[in-house]
Amino acid sequence: MVFSEPAGEVLDPCAEDLIQSLRAFGYDLPTALADLIDNSIAAGATTVRIAHCSDAGAAWVGILDDGRGMSEDELRDAMRFARNPTAARTANDLGRFGLGLKTASLSQVRRVTVLTRKHHGTLYARTWDIDHVFEQRQWRVITELDEGAAAIAEQLGFTSQGTLVLWRKTDRLGDGPGLSRRINEAGRELSLLFHRFVERGRLTLYLGGRGLSPMDPYLRRHPATQDRGFEDLEHGGHRIRLNPVVLPHPSRLSRSEITLASGPGGMQDRQGFYVYRGDRLVVAGGWLGLHGMHKSQPTRLARVAVDIPPEADLAWEVDVRKSSVRPPSMLERRMAEIAKDVRARSERVFAYRGAPTARSRAERDVHPVWHQVRRRGVSEYVVNREHPLVAAVLTGPNGEALEGVLHLVETTLPVETISQELMSSAPPNGPAAKEATDVEEVLATFRSMLTGLPKDPETRSVLLEALTKAEPFAMYPGLIQEVIESEEN
């Protein structure tokens, strides 16, 4: 039997209609800029600058990076709409669909020009202009660099390796003070979306001449933050890491800390899951549609960080804008259990006006440095001989001498002087400054102790576990885990 090819015809999309429709993907300014910064990170950039001009009739926005730059063929591919979303990606490639550069840019403006050069290479340029596509009625990209774009590139000092994405014809962004205000507001969101890259020194972001500081949504350095540790789940061969956190009661937060922990709708707006894709925050709050969960005032302190690798995009239904996800159904049950627990802890913080919640068994296993004892109705303080670090030294060759030193410290500890000092005065720079300094000192001490651990993997693992359960390191499990991972990498 012979099968014939079914009759058909080619129906190419109308270029002018489709390019106009692509503007309706739902980008706002922060997500559009974030998509371009993703491309810069994928190109190996360590610095990204966002500049703008708000002059009426001549407004523009420029995103300039110091990445590898592109050859002419690479630029041509980058300006082509769409690519295979199932293709393999490198670890730092935050793209997926091959639409971000074009759809993100054209969602905000009618003309986007990309200028790029490799090290000591030729400058190449391509421009998508919606009005030009309408005139030509073809997917026709402009290959010549116009004088206006060249002048802006010179103004920005773009003379070496990297890429400059230039937005013009700002019909949706507007111009004047309104444009400047929107750019500045977007900078705050970018400080949150890329906070891991910035705080770990992998990326420097500039808005105009101002460097953006990272916004930690978990206030990890606050001593009253409840960091519940990490839990790893597996799905489709990928490791999914969850880290539930409960923020301190608002009465224990400064105004700046409340601002850091808040979104447009306040702290209530930011509660929920924080989903990271390759360390880039793609979802900042919300309960991901899990059954029976919604945002409420008593649960506004509850947050759960979720790390997924870029290869898990399709399973998590990451959208083109990289701003929404849906967890795989097989993980929903455990994620809901974790969410219910952290929500309940948030409610208890309010019920007890910020008092600490009951300590779990794991928390009771933490080894304090000092013990309080009562003798003849008087409180005395002794060093905990079972503290892993103290016990390790006491069993060593100088243990007897150390025991004598500890006894001397205990018997001469000026308890009354310390008590009077605490009641009569605050730390010189205020409690918040003291707490921040203490955290830095704790982390520095932990790093120095890591270098002294034995290299033997089995012995090192045992000692490392004991070290993380010891006071004061056990107070900051999230930060300590980050130190361990950074040292191992």
Side-chain angles (χ1 to χ4, degrees), residues 88-159:
R89 301 280 181 264
T90 60
N92 66 335
D93 188 348
L94 299 178
R96 172 59 59 179
F97 298 96
L99 291 171
L101 168 62
K102 286 76 64 178
T103 55
S105 299
L106 296 177
S107 71
Q108 307 298 308
V109 298
R110 298 185 69 82
R111 184 180 180 94
V112 54
T113 300
V114 179
L115 300 84
T116 188
R117 64 161 62 86
K118 288 183 171 292
H119 186 58
H120 297 312
T122 304
L123 178 67
Y124 298 108
R126 291 290 188 277
T127 298
W128 277 115
D129 188 309
I130 292 178
D131 298 322
H132 183 70
V133 172
F134 266 72
E135 292 169 4
Q136 299 294 318
R137 305 190 69 181
Q138 288 182 318
W139 291 103
R140 195 168 185 83
V141 66
I142 299 171
T143 58
E144 295 180 359
L145 177 62
D146 62 275
E147 293 182 1
I152 294 171
E154 183 177 359
Q155 178 182 337
L156 293 178
F158 179 45
T159 58

Side-chain angles (χ1 to χ4, degrees), residues 361-474:
R361 179 177 179 181
E363 291 172 309
R364 291 196 298 269
D365 289 339
V366 171
H367 303 283
V369 176
W370 291 91
H371 278 323
Q372 183 188 49
V373 296
R374 298 282 292 180
R375 291 196 181 108
R376 299 173 184 171
V378 178
S379 291
E380 296 180 0
Y381 296 86
V382 297
V383 175
N384 177 17
R385 270 43 172 197
E386 295 181 0
H387 188 290
L389 305 181
V390 178
V393 181
L394 285 176
T395 56
N398 299 315
E400 187 174 341
L402 178 62
E403 178 62 49
V405 172
L406 292 180
H407 184 69
L408 175 64
V409 170
E410 294 166 345
T411 55
T412 59
L413 185 68
V415 177
E416 291 185 5
T417 303
I418 294 172
S419 178
Q420 292 173 1
E421 180 69 20
L422 289 174
M423 290 191 303
S424 63
S425 64
N429 297 316
K434 180 65 167 61
E435 289 165 358
T437 302
D438 287 346
V439 174
E440 294 300 334
E441 291 176 354
V442 168
L443 297 182
T445 301
F446 186 79
R447 290 190 184 95
S448 66
M449 288 186 169
L450 273 183
T451 62
L453 292 180
K455 301 300 182 183
D456 173 59
E458 186 175 349
T459 305
R460 184 181 181 86
S461 177
V462 172
L463 292 177
L464 186 58
E465 182 179 1
L467 194 61
T468 56
K469 288 185 177 181
E471 191 183 37
F473 310 125

Side-chain angles (χ1 to χ4, degrees), residues 176-459:
L179 173 58
S180 297
R181 175 181 54 79
R182 295 185 66 185
I183 293 290
N184 288 327
E185 289 174 351
R188 184 177 187 276
E189 195 72 6
L190 295 176
S191 296
L192 174 63
L193 297 179
F194 294 94
H195 78 91
R196 286 187 177 177
F197 285 89
V198 177
E199 66 194 12
R200 297 174 183 178
R202 296 165 57 190
L203 180 69
T204 303
L205 276 175
Y206 288 98
L207 192 64
R210 173 174 60 93
L212 296 181
S213 299
M215 289 180 61
D216 173 20
Y218 316 104
L219 304 180
R220 291 187 189 277
R221 296 181 182 274
H222 195 290
T225 294
Q226 298 179 46
D227 186 333
R228 308 302 303 166
F230 297 92
E231 179 172 335
D232 290 342
L233 305 178
E234 193 278 335
H235 180 266
H238 303 128
R239 186 187 74 170
I240 312 301
R241 168 162 285 188
L242 289 86
N243 178 204
V245 175
V246 184
L247 301 187
H249 190 276
S251 65
R252 305 189 64 177
L253 300 177
S254 65
R255 183 175 300 178
S256 61
E257 287 170 334
I258 290 177
T259 299
L260 283 174
S262 299
M267 292 181 70
Q268 180 172 339
D269 187 57
R270 288 296 198 198
Q271 66 183 277
F273 288 99
Y274 283 66
V275 183
Y276 294 83
R277 175 181 177 270
D279 278 339
R280 203 275 240 185
L281 184 59
V282 295
V283 173
W287 296 105
L288 302 184
L290 295 182
H291 180 67
M293 295 189 188
H294 59 277
K295 295 178 180 179
S296 68
Q297 283 288 328
T299 60
R300 68 182 184 270
L301 306 180
R303 303 187 174 188
V304 183
V306 182
D307 282 273
I308 67 173
E311 306 83 53
D313 277 356
L314 297 181
W316 282 73
E317 301 180 27
V318 178
D319 71 344
V320 171
R321 296 170 298 146
K322 297 191 286 290
S323 63
S324 70
V325 302
R326 181 177 179 81
S329 57
M330 292 179 62
L331 300 181
E332 286 188 356
R333 179 176 177 180
R334 181 56 188 152
M335 290 181 65
E337 291 172 348
I338 293 173
K340 288 177 181 177
D341 176 74
V342 75
R343 284 165 62 93
R345 292 178 183 277
S346 173
E347 292 170 347
R348 287 202 293 273
V349 169
F350 283 104
Y352 294 97
R353 293 182 175 272
T357 56
R359 301 176 72 186
S360 67
R361 179 177 179 181
E363 291 172 309
R364 291 196 298 269
D365 289 339
V366 171
H367 303 283
V369 176
W370 291 91
H371 278 323
Q372 183 188 49
V373 296
R374 298 282 292 180
R375 291 196 181 108
R376 299 173 184 171
V378 178
S379 291
E380 296 180 0
Y381 296 86
V382 297
V383 175
N384 177 17
R385 270 43 172 197
E386 295 181 0
H387 188 290
L389 305 181
V390 178
V393 181
L394 285 176
T395 56
N398 299 315
E400 187 174 341
L402 178 62
E403 178 62 49
V405 172
L406 292 180
H407 184 69
L408 175 64
V409 170
E410 294 166 345
T411 55
T412 59
L413 185 68
V415 177
E416 291 185 5
T417 303
I418 294 172
S419 178
Q420 292 173 1
E421 180 69 20
L422 289 174
M423 290 191 303
S424 63
S425 64
N429 297 316
K434 180 65 167 61
E435 289 165 358
T437 302
D438 287 346
V439 174
E440 294 300 334
E441 291 176 354
V442 168
L443 297 182
T445 301
F446 186 79
R447 290 190 184 95
S448 66
M449 288 186 169
L450 273 183
T451 62
L453 292 180
K455 301 300 182 183
D456 173 59
E458 186 175 349
T459 305

Side-chain angles (χ1 to χ4, degrees), residues 10-29:
V10 175
L11 287 177
D12 289 329
C14 177
E16 60 270 32
D17 291 343
L18 182 54
I19 200 168
Q20 184 69 26
S21 299
L22 289 174
R23 307 191 77 190
F25 263 60
Y27 282 95
D28 57 16
L29 180 56

